[in-house]
Amino acid sequence: MNIYDVSERAGVSIATVSRVINGNSNVSEKTRNKVIDVMKEIGYTPNVFARGLGLNTMSTIGIMCTDSSDLYLANAVYYLERELRANGYDSILCCTGTKSETKKKYFELLMSKRVDAIILIGSKFLSTIAAENAYIIEAAKKLPIMLVNGYLEGDNIYSALCDDETAVFTATDALIKSGRKDIVYLYTSTSYSGMRKLEGYRKAHFLHNIPLNPERIHLCGKNIANSRDFLNELYDKGSRFDAIVTSDDTLAVGALKFAYDKGVSVPSELNIIGYNNSILSNCTAPELTSIDTKLESLCVTTINTLMGIFNGEDVPSKINISADIIKRNTTNF
Amino acid sequence: MNIYDVSERAGVSIATVSRVINGNSNVSEKTRNKVIDVMKEIGYTPNVFARGLGLNTMSTIGIMCTDSSDLYLANAVYYLERELRANGYDSILCCTGTKSETKKKYFELLMSKRVDAIILIGSKFLSTIAAENAYIIEAAKKLPIMLVNGYLEGDNIYSALCDDETAVFTATDALIKSGRKDIVYLYTSTSYSGMRKLEGYRKAHFLHNIPLNPERIHLCGKNIANSRDFLNELYDKGSRFDAIVTSDDTLAVGALKFAYDKGVSVPSELNIIGYNNSILSNCTAPELTSIDTKLESLCVTTINTLMGIFNGEDVPSKINISADIIKRNTTNF
């Protein structure tokens, strides 16, 4: 038995149940009594009390991501679990792959396991087709849905987002201001976050009156060989460029390999900027300048928001966090 | 309701229940009838049938690891989930951290969520103190426990292991045969697997009558800075060495950074060997020679064994898989 069983049977929102549990005065006497009656009836003991009494309520948060072997997602899982544990919550994780039907099936699995909230990591978890996200909006009637760097409009859905557009804009703008003009953009996803990054690249060009060159904008798989091969081919076709901005460090590593392949000097002839400031950016020589997307902050914020919801507090449904550029040795601005 | 509820109530082993479900003839008529009666009584529909009938049995495998942000563990999770999904099973993952009490708590959480088996990844999950693993041996009475590259003696506990000892022995032996004599060994863990690796390093020295030098054997945290700093200090104290073997690619990346710091040429003056053949070994320049621990094979084998158990087959309780050395540019043997 779970807070959403109480909410359903009492015919009130989860926030109202939370307010009653936490003794918040902003609930009518009648509603309070109804909620307490339902709690007694179904034998529900709220976690905050239960923990004080040393009872084992098995309160658990569900976490979902598409692929645990992705560095960004794996680190997000690590931070989320650390924060949940610090707040006395257990968590279970489902890795769903990218197919829509499998995501939905795993979502139902977590619901059936009686989790108290579901956290979805990455904007890739959401479909770009609105109808395919309907099950999430429906589920949010029963329990809070938390999105880490993803955005979906709906009641009881909460987002903590990195400002990816500004991050790529700032990086591209800095390159242009330092004299670079022919900037390749390599990206891996057309998700919400993927589109925001591309928009940042576009805006910086627009602002500086530099036309976009479609052959320099390339969507490719998230691995080293893909970006390396694409850049070698582009170069062999006679195209010349003086900077590469990427949506993931993996692609930036491939860009460095391309530079070795062709004897192009980094950073003097070619600037390279990675994304996510992962361990890969420390492994290369020269080390990669990369955009720190504040993943730890996003995860801490998500759990703080969730704890706020459980405590019946008013919490914002969307929080934006700014990225930073970590300057290492593949740029000279 | 779960296969182990049937096993418990019928007073027979899980293997026997599996045999009944799969129509294996190696079960007495009396036992078969008892099992079928219990299944009817508690309304249990075995997965293999249920799937054929399109029923949703919510059959789920629990996976546990200490830290999802570790590359090796994250990749193991990926392979295990892929194989489980291919066999029609869902999975839920718990990341426990390294504290013994938390591991035990999460173990109970997975049991309470009615999983059909539990997979533990990495020998670090197990305690080196026998008494601290008693809860696992106890749990194995109720459901199969699968260990990926970990080993624990007990009924209904199954291990798929990489031969870490031979892997490090072969690497060290190859270095010695190619003329290297002063070989540093850097490692991150004193787990079962960690001790086997160290033993491989020791054996190669023993075989070639080279005495071990304790100052060259160093236990350090799994990060780049730790190995880099240790090696710089060792070098500054006047120690000279011509090869470095590591128990993880992260430490080998740190070893390469040390070589740049001191202007030591790799591989002519110094050979470096990584471990796990992770994405990091492709990011460095020169790229790292690394030991491929066949993680994918270990995971596939684990799931095949598990499916064998569910089908009532006789399966081996311990499978060893050999590692390979992937030669890249930090060695010249």
Side-chain angles (χ1 to χ4, degrees), chain B residues 1 7 11 21 36 39 56 97 106 148 157 165 213 232 240 254 271 301 304-305 325:
Chain B
M1 287 300 158
S7 138
I21 291 170
I36 291 174
M39 279 166 51
N56 185 2
Y106 270 99
V148 177
I157 301 178
E165 181 179 319
N213 178 344
N232 271 314
R240 291 296 176 269
N271 275 205
T301 301
N304 287 346
T305 304
I325 297 187

mmCIF file with all atom_site columns, all heavy atoms in Angstrom, chain B residues 1 7 11 21 36 39 56 97 106 148 157 165 213 232 240 254 271 301 304-305 325:
data_model
loop_
_atom_site.group_PDB
_atom_site.id
_atom_site.type_symbol
_atom_site.label_atom_id
_atom_site.label_alt_id
_atom_site.label_comp_id
_atom_site.label_asym_id
_atom_site.label_entity_id
_atom_site.label_seq_id
_atom_site.pdbx_PDB_ins_code
_atom_site.Cartn_x
_atom_site.Cartn_y
_atom_site.Cartn_z
_atom_site.occupancy
_atom_site.B_iso_or_equiv
_atom_site.pdbx_formal_charge
_atom_site.auth_seq_id
_atom_site.auth_comp_id
_atom_site.auth_asym_id
_atom_site.auth_atom_id
_atom_site.pdbx_PDB_model_num
ATOM 1   N N   . MET B 1 1   ? 3.120  -14.445 -6.772  1.00 0.00 ? 1   MET B N   1
ATOM 2   C CA  . MET B 1 1   ? 3.438  -15.872 -6.606  1.00 0.00 ? 1   MET B CA  1
ATOM 3   C C   . MET B 1 1   ? 4.505  -16.282 -7.606  1.00 0.00 ? 1   MET B C   1
ATOM 4   O O   . MET B 1 1   ? 4.506  -15.844 -8.752  1.00 0.00 ? 1   MET B O   1
ATOM 5   C CB  . MET B 1 1   ? 2.162  -16.717 -6.807  1.00 0.00 ? 1   MET B CB  1
ATOM 6   C CG  . MET B 1 1   ? 1.208  -16.605 -5.637  1.00 0.00 ? 1   MET B CG  1
ATOM 7   S SD  . MET B 1 1   ? 1.981  -17.175 -4.099  1.00 0.00 ? 1   MET B SD  1
ATOM 8   C CE  . MET B 1 1   ? 0.949  -16.317 -2.900  1.00 0.00 ? 1   MET B CE  1
ATOM 9   N N   . SER B 1 7   ? 7.885  -24.158 -4.735  1.00 0.00 ? 7   SER B N   1
ATOM 10  C CA  . SER B 1 7   ? 8.903  -25.059 -4.196  1.00 0.00 ? 7   SER B CA  1
ATOM 11  C C   . SER B 1 7   ? 8.773  -25.188 -2.677  1.00 0.00 ? 7   SER B C   1
ATOM 12  O O   . SER B 1 7   ? 8.812  -26.288 -2.125  1.00 0.00 ? 7   SER B O   1
ATOM 13  C CB  . SER B 1 7   ? 10.285 -24.530 -4.614  1.00 0.00 ? 7   SER B CB  1
ATOM 14  O OG  . SER B 1 7   ? 11.219 -24.614 -3.587  1.00 0.00 ? 7   SER B OG  1
ATOM 15  N N   . GLY B 1 11  ? 7.425  -28.458 -0.764  1.00 0.00 ? 11  GLY B N   1
ATOM 16  C CA  . GLY B 1 11  ? 8.538  -29.098 -0.057  1.00 0.00 ? 11  GLY B CA  1
ATOM 17  C C   . GLY B 1 11  ? 9.518  -29.800 -0.993  1.00 0.00 ? 11  GLY B C   1
ATOM 18  O O   . GLY B 1 11  ? 10.128 -30.807 -0.635  1.00 0.00 ? 11  GLY B O   1
ATOM 19  N N   . ILE B 1 21  ? 7.299  -28.412 -14.591 1.00 0.00 ? 21  ILE B N   1
ATOM 20  C CA  . ILE B 1 21  ? 6.781  -27.419 -15.529 1.00 0.00 ? 21  ILE B CA  1
ATOM 21  C C   . ILE B 1 21  ? 7.170  -27.767 -16.962 1.00 0.00 ? 21  ILE B C   1
ATOM 22  O O   . ILE B 1 21  ? 6.380  -27.614 -17.889 1.00 0.00 ? 21  ILE B O   1
ATOM 23  C CB  . ILE B 1 21  ? 7.323  -26.012 -15.170 1.00 0.00 ? 21  ILE B CB  1
ATOM 24  C CG1 . ILE B 1 21  ? 6.702  -25.531 -13.855 1.00 0.00 ? 21  ILE B CG1 1
ATOM 25  C CG2 . ILE B 1 21  ? 7.034  -25.016 -16.291 1.00 0.00 ? 21  ILE B CG2 1
ATOM 26  C CD1 . ILE B 1 21  ? 7.347  -24.280 -13.297 1.00 0.00 ? 21  ILE B CD1 1
ATOM 27  N N   . ILE B 1 36  ? 1.879  -29.975 -9.019  1.00 0.00 ? 36  ILE B N   1
ATOM 28  C CA  . ILE B 1 36  ? 0.762  -29.445 -9.814  1.00 0.00 ? 36  ILE B CA  1
ATOM 29  C C   . ILE B 1 36  ? -0.381 -28.992 -8.898  1.00 0.00 ? 36  ILE B C   1
ATOM 30  O O   . ILE B 1 36  ? -0.984 -27.927 -9.105  1.00 0.00 ? 36  ILE B O   1
ATOM 31  C CB  . ILE B 1 36  ? 0.292  -30.489 -10.859 1.00 0.00 ? 36  ILE B CB  1
ATOM 32  C CG1 . ILE B 1 36  ? 1.392  -30.640 -11.935 1.00 0.00 ? 36  ILE B CG1 1
ATOM 33  C CG2 . ILE B 1 36  ? -1.026 -30.075 -11.506 1.00 0.00 ? 36  ILE B CG2 1
ATOM 34  C CD1 . ILE B 1 36  ? 1.139  -31.721 -12.956 1.00 0.00 ? 36  ILE B CD1 1
ATOM 35  N N   . MET B 1 39  ? 0.567  -25.655 -7.440  1.00 0.00 ? 39  MET B N   1
ATOM 36  C CA  . MET B 1 39  ? 0.461  -24.612 -8.454  1.00 0.00 ? 39  MET B CA  1
ATOM 37  C C   . MET B 1 39  ? -0.992 -24.182 -8.655  1.00 0.00 ? 39  MET B C   1
ATOM 38  O O   . MET B 1 39  ? -1.284 -22.991 -8.775  1.00 0.00 ? 39  MET B O   1
ATOM 39  C CB  . MET B 1 39  ? 1.067  -25.089 -9.781  1.00 0.00 ? 39  MET B CB  1
ATOM 40  C CG  . MET B 1 39  ? 2.588  -24.955 -9.810  1.00 0.00 ? 39  MET B CG  1
ATOM 41  S SD  . MET B 1 39  ? 3.383  -25.856 -11.179 1.00 0.00 ? 39  MET B SD  1
ATOM 42  C CE  . MET B 1 39  ? 2.452  -25.274 -12.577 1.00 0.00 ? 39  MET B CE  1
ATOM 43  N N   . ASN B 1 56  ? 0.286  -11.938 -18.488 1.00 0.00 ? 56  ASN B N   1
ATOM 44  C CA  . ASN B 1 56  ? 1.338  -11.107 -17.957 1.00 0.00 ? 56  ASN B CA  1
ATOM 45  C C   . ASN B 1 56  ? 1.700  -11.619 -16.566 1.00 0.00 ? 56  ASN B C   1
ATOM 46  O O   . ASN B 1 56  ? 0.993  -11.374 -15.599 1.00 0.00 ? 56  ASN B O   1
ATOM 47  C CB  . ASN B 1 56  ? 0.846  -9.656  -17.891 1.00 0.00 ? 56  ASN B CB  1
ATOM 48  C CG  . ASN B 1 56  ? 1.951  -8.729  -17.464 1.00 0.00 ? 56  ASN B CG  1
ATOM 49  O OD1 . ASN B 1 56  ? 3.091  -9.154  -17.254 1.00 0.00 ? 56  ASN B OD1 1
ATOM 50  N ND2 . ASN B 1 56  ? 1.631  -7.464  -17.331 1.00 0.00 ? 56  ASN B ND2 1
ATOM 51  N N   . GLY B 1 97  ? 26.096 0.413   -3.398  1.00 0.00 ? 97  GLY B N   1
ATOM 52  C CA  . GLY B 1 97  ? 27.260 0.932   -2.691  1.00 0.00 ? 97  GLY B CA  1
ATOM 53  C C   . GLY B 1 97  ? 28.020 -0.247  -2.093  1.00 0.00 ? 97  GLY B C   1
ATOM 54  O O   . GLY B 1 97  ? 27.661 -1.396  -2.328  1.00 0.00 ? 97  GLY B O   1
ATOM 55  N N   . TYR B 1 106 ? 19.205 -4.269  0.377   1.00 0.00 ? 106 TYR B N   1
ATOM 56  C CA  . TYR B 1 106 ? 18.727 -4.284  -1.008  1.00 0.00 ? 106 TYR B CA  1
ATOM 57  C C   . TYR B 1 106 ? 18.384 -5.703  -1.452  1.00 0.00 ? 106 TYR B C   1
ATOM 58  O O   . TYR B 1 106 ? 17.479 -5.917  -2.246  1.00 0.00 ? 106 TYR B O   1
ATOM 59  C CB  . TYR B 1 106 ? 19.777 -3.686  -1.952  1.00 0.00 ? 106 TYR B CB  1
ATOM 60  C CG  . TYR B 1 106 ? 19.611 -2.207  -2.136  1.00 0.00 ? 106 TYR B CG  1
ATOM 61  C CD1 . TYR B 1 106 ? 20.379 -1.296  -1.423  1.00 0.00 ? 106 TYR B CD1 1
ATOM 62  C CD2 . TYR B 1 106 ? 18.667 -1.705  -3.029  1.00 0.00 ? 106 TYR B CD2 1
ATOM 63  C CE1 . TYR B 1 106 ? 20.231 0.067   -1.592  1.00 0.00 ? 106 TYR B CE1 1
ATOM 64  C CE2 . TYR B 1 106 ? 18.507 -0.351  -3.217  1.00 0.00 ? 106 TYR B CE2 1
ATOM 65  C CZ  . TYR B 1 106 ? 19.296 0.539   -2.497  1.00 0.00 ? 106 TYR B CZ  1
ATOM 66  O OH  . TYR B 1 106 ? 19.134 1.875   -2.671  1.00 0.00 ? 106 TYR B OH  1
ATOM 67  N N   . VAL B 1 148 ? 28.326 -13.061 -11.504 1.00 0.00 ? 148 VAL B N   1
ATOM 68  C CA  . VAL B 1 148 ? 29.100 -12.710 -12.685 1.00 0.00 ? 148 VAL B CA  1
ATOM 69  C C   . VAL B 1 148 ? 30.487 -12.296 -12.205 1.00 0.00 ? 148 VAL B C   1
ATOM 70  O O   . VAL B 1 148 ? 30.647 -11.274 -11.542 1.00 0.00 ? 148 VAL B O   1
ATOM 71  C CB  . VAL B 1 148 ? 28.443 -11.565 -13.471 1.00 0.00 ? 148 VAL B CB  1
ATOM 72  C CG1 . VAL B 1 148 ? 29.308 -11.174 -14.669 1.00 0.00 ? 148 VAL B CG1 1
ATOM 73  C CG2 . VAL B 1 148 ? 27.045 -11.950 -13.926 1.00 0.00 ? 148 VAL B CG2 1
ATOM 74  N N   . ILE B 1 157 ? 23.916 -21.735 -6.061  1.00 0.00 ? 157 ILE B N   1
ATOM 75  C CA  . ILE B 1 157 ? 24.720 -20.550 -6.390  1.00 0.00 ? 157 ILE B CA  1
ATOM 76  C C   . ILE B 1 157 ? 25.593 -20.909 -7.595  1.00 0.00 ? 157 ILE B C   1
ATOM 77  O O   . ILE B 1 157 ? 26.267 -21.933 -7.586  1.00 0.00 ? 157 ILE B O   1
ATOM 78  C CB  . ILE B 1 157 ? 25.615 -20.116 -5.207  1.00 0.00 ? 157 ILE B CB  1
ATOM 79  C CG1 . ILE B 1 157 ? 24.743 -19.807 -3.986  1.00 0.00 ? 157 ILE B CG1 1
ATOM 80  C CG2 . ILE B 1 157 ? 26.470 -18.908 -5.585  1.00 0.00 ? 157 ILE B CG2 1
ATOM 81  C CD1 . ILE B 1 157 ? 25.534 -19.414 -2.747  1.00 0.00 ? 157 ILE B CD1 1
ATOM 82  N N   . GLU B 1 165 ? 43.533 -14.713 -13.027 1.00 0.00 ? 165 GLU B N   1
ATOM 83  C CA  . GLU B 1 165 ? 44.906 -15.063 -12.654 1.00 0.00 ? 165 GLU B CA  1
ATOM 84  C C   . GLU B 1 165 ? 45.747 -15.341 -13.897 1.00 0.00 ? 165 GLU B C   1
ATOM 85  O O   . GLU B 1 165 ? 46.823 -14.771 -14.070 1.00 0.00 ? 165 GLU B O   1
ATOM 86  C CB  . GLU B 1 165 ? 44.902 -16.285 -11.727 1.00 0.00 ? 165 GLU B CB  1
ATOM 87  C CG  . GLU B 1 165 ? 46.289 -16.687 -11.295 1.00 0.00 ? 165 GLU B CG  1
ATOM 88  C CD  . GLU B 1 165 ? 46.266 -17.892 -10.351 1.00 0.00 ? 165 GLU B CD  1
ATOM 89  O OE1 . GLU B 1 165 ? 45.383 -17.952 -9.471  1.00 0.00 ? 165 GLU B OE1 1
ATOM 90  O OE2 . GLU B 1 165 ? 47.135 -18.772 -10.507 1.00 0.00 ? 165 GLU B OE2 1
ATOM 91  N N   . ASN B 1 213 ? 59.417 -6.957  -5.719  1.00 0.00 ? 213 ASN B N   1
ATOM 92  C CA  . ASN B 1 213 ? 59.835 -5.746  -5.019  1.00 0.00 ? 213 ASN B CA  1
ATOM 93  C C   . ASN B 1 213 ? 58.575 -5.051  -4.497  1.00 0.00 ? 213 ASN B C   1
ATOM 94  O O   . ASN B 1 213 ? 57.797 -4.506  -5.283  1.00 0.00 ? 213 ASN B O   1
ATOM 95  C CB  . ASN B 1 213 ? 60.589 -4.863  -6.020  1.00 0.00 ? 213 ASN B CB  1
ATOM 96  C CG  . ASN B 1 213 ? 61.040 -3.555  -5.408  1.00 0.00 ? 213 ASN B CG  1
ATOM 97  O OD1 . ASN B 1 213 ? 60.562 -3.155  -4.342  1.00 0.00 ? 213 ASN B OD1 1
ATOM 98  N ND2 . ASN B 1 213 ? 61.961 -2.890  -6.080  1.00 0.00 ? 213 ASN B ND2 1
ATOM 99  N N   . ASN B 1 232 ? 54.547 9.091   -10.270 1.00 0.00 ? 232 ASN B N   1
ATOM 100 C CA  . ASN B 1 232 ? 55.423 10.266  -10.226 1.00 0.00 ? 232 ASN B CA  1
ATOM 101 C C   . ASN B 1 232 ? 56.265 10.281  -8.951  1.00 0.00 ? 232 ASN B C   1
ATOM 102 O O   . ASN B 1 232 ? 57.464 10.568  -8.991  1.00 0.00 ? 232 ASN B O   1
ATOM 103 C CB  . ASN B 1 232 ? 54.596 11.552  -10.353 1.00 0.00 ? 232 ASN B CB  1
ATOM 104 C CG  . ASN B 1 232 ? 54.401 11.961  -11.811 1.00 0.00 ? 232 ASN B CG  1
ATOM 105 O OD1 . ASN B 1 232 ? 55.348 11.953  -12.603 1.00 0.00 ? 232 ASN B OD1 1
ATOM 106 N ND2 . ASN B 1 232 ? 53.171 12.293  -12.171 1.00 0.00 ? 232 ASN B ND2 1
ATOM 107 N N   . ARG B 1 240 ? 63.270 3.194   -10.898 1.00 0.00 ? 240 ARG B N   1
ATOM 108 C CA  . ARG B 1 240 ? 63.113 3.123   -12.354 1.00 0.00 ? 240 ARG B CA  1
ATOM 109 C C   . ARG B 1 240 ? 62.461 1.793   -12.713 1.00 0.00 ? 240 ARG B C   1
ATOM 110 O O   . ARG B 1 240 ? 62.737 0.768   -12.106 1.00 0.00 ? 240 ARG B O   1
ATOM 111 C CB  . ARG B 1 240 ? 64.468 3.249   -13.066 1.00 0.00 ? 240 ARG B CB  1
ATOM 112 C CG  . ARG B 1 240 ? 65.085 4.647   -12.954 1.00 0.00 ? 240 ARG B CG  1
ATOM 113 C CD  . ARG B 1 240 ? 64.230 5.715   -13.656 1.00 0.00 ? 240 ARG B CD  1
ATOM 114 N NE  . ARG B 1 240 ? 64.764 7.064   -13.487 1.00 0.00 ? 240 ARG B NE  1
ATOM 115 C CZ  . ARG B 1 240 ? 64.401 7.887   -12.478 1.00 0.00 ? 240 ARG B CZ  1
ATOM 116 N NH1 . ARG B 1 240 ? 63.549 7.493   -11.564 1.00 0.00 ? 240 ARG B NH1 1
ATOM 117 N NH2 . ARG B 1 240 ? 64.910 9.099   -12.400 1.00 0.00 ? 240 ARG B NH2 1
ATOM 118 N N   . GLY B 1 254 ? 46.311 6.697   -16.163 1.00 0.00 ? 254 GLY B N   1
ATOM 119 C CA  . GLY B 1 254 ? 47.159 7.455   -15.235 1.00 0.00 ? 254 GLY B CA  1
ATOM 120 C C   . GLY B 1 254 ? 48.639 7.163   -15.474 1.00 0.00 ? 254 GLY B C   1
ATOM 121 O O   . GLY B 1 254 ? 49.479 8.065   -15.384 1.00 0.00 ? 254 GLY B O   1
ATOM 122 N N   . ASN B 1 271 ? 56.492 -0.040  -21.129 1.00 0.00 ? 271 ASN B N   1
ATOM 123 C CA  . ASN B 1 271 ? 55.290 -0.745  -21.605 1.00 0.00 ? 271 ASN B CA  1
ATOM 124 C C   . ASN B 1 271 ? 54.172 -0.558  -20.578 1.00 0.00 ? 271 ASN B C   1
ATOM 125 O O   . ASN B 1 271 ? 54.433 -0.551  -19.377 1.00 0.00 ? 271 ASN B O   1
ATOM 126 C CB  . ASN B 1 271 ? 55.561 -2.243  -21.758 1.00 0.00 ? 271 ASN B CB  1
ATOM 127 C CG  . ASN B 1 271 ? 56.186 -2.597  -23.109 1.00 0.00 ? 271 ASN B CG  1
ATOM 128 O OD1 . ASN B 1 271 ? 56.050 -3.714  -23.584 1.00 0.00 ? 271 ASN B OD1 1
ATOM 129 N ND2 . ASN B 1 271 ? 56.867 -1.645  -23.743 1.00 0.00 ? 271 ASN B ND2 1
ATOM 130 N N   . THR B 1 301 ? 26.760 -16.291 -20.805 1.00 0.00 ? 301 THR B N   1
ATOM 131 C CA  . THR B 1 301 ? 26.836 -17.582 -20.116 1.00 0.00 ? 301 THR B CA  1
ATOM 132 C C   . THR B 1 301 ? 25.949 -17.597 -18.874 1.00 0.00 ? 301 THR B C   1
ATOM 133 O O   . THR B 1 301 ? 25.240 -18.579 -18.607 1.00 0.00 ? 301 THR B O   1
ATOM 134 C CB  . THR B 1 301 ? 28.302 -17.865 -19.711 1.00 0.00 ? 301 THR B CB  1
ATOM 135 O OG1 . THR B 1 301 ? 29.096 -17.865 -20.892 1.00 0.00 ? 301 THR B OG1 1
ATOM 136 C CG2 . THR B 1 301 ? 28.442 -19.197 -19.000 1.00 0.00 ? 301 THR B CG2 1
ATOM 137 N N   . ASN B 1 304 ? 22.352 -17.901 -19.972 1.00 0.00 ? 304 ASN B N   1
ATOM 138 C CA  . ASN B 1 304 ? 22.096 -19.257 -20.480 1.00 0.00 ? 304 ASN B CA  1
ATOM 139 C C   . ASN B 1 304 ? 21.975 -20.260 -19.341 1.00 0.00 ? 304 ASN B C   1
ATOM 140 O O   . ASN B 1 304 ? 21.105 -21.133 -19.354 1.00 0.00 ? 304 ASN B O   1
ATOM 141 C CB  . ASN B 1 304 ? 23.210 -19.693 -21.438 1.00 0.00 ? 304 ASN B CB  1
ATOM 142 C CG  . ASN B 1 304 ? 23.124 -18.976 -22.769 1.00 0.00 ? 304 ASN B CG  1
ATOM 143 O OD1 . ASN B 1 304 ? 22.103 -18.344 -23.076 1.00 0.00 ? 304 ASN B OD1 1
ATOM 144 N ND2 . ASN B 1 304 ? 24.185 -19.036 -23.555 1.00 0.00 ? 304 ASN B ND2 1
ATOM 145 N N   . THR B 1 305 ? 22.869 -20.141 -18.350 1.00 0.00 ? 305 THR B N   1
ATOM 146 C CA  . THR B 1 305 ? 22.804 -21.029 -17.186 1.00 0.00 ? 305 THR B CA  1
ATOM 147 C C   . THR B 1 305 ? 21.472 -20.841 -16.461 1.00 0.00 ? 305 THR B C   1
ATOM 148 O O   . THR B 1 305 ? 20.795 -21.814 -16.097 1.00 0.00 ? 305 THR B O   1
ATOM 149 C CB  . THR B 1 305 ? 23.973 -20.733 -16.216 1.00 0.00 ? 305 THR B CB  1
ATOM 150 O OG1 . THR B 1 305 ? 25.197 -20.859 -16.924 1.00 0.00 ? 305 THR B OG1 1
ATOM 151 C CG2 . THR B 1 305 ? 23.977 -21.697 -15.036 1.00 0.00 ? 305 THR B CG2 1
ATOM 152 N N   . ILE B 1 325 ? 44.568 -10.959 -24.554 1.00 0.00 ? 325 ILE B N   1
ATOM 153 C CA  . ILE B 1 325 ? 45.278 -9.677  -24.561 1.00 0.00 ? 325 ILE B CA  1
ATOM 154 C C   . ILE B 1 325 ? 45.016 -8.995  -25.898 1.00 0.00 ? 325 ILE B C   1
ATOM 155 O O   . ILE B 1 325 ? 45.240 -9.588  -26.954 1.00 0.00 ? 325 ILE B O   1
ATOM 156 C CB  . ILE B 1 325 ? 46.802 -9.850  -24.375 1.00 0.00 ? 325 ILE B CB  1
ATOM 157 C CG1 . ILE B 1 325 ? 47.088 -10.478 -23.009 1.00 0.00 ? 325 ILE B CG1 1
ATOM 158 C CG2 . ILE B 1 325 ? 47.498 -8.482  -24.457 1.00 0.00 ? 325 ILE B CG2 1
ATOM 159 C CD1 . ILE B 1 325 ? 48.573 -10.541 -22.667 1.00 0.00 ? 325 ILE B CD1 1
#
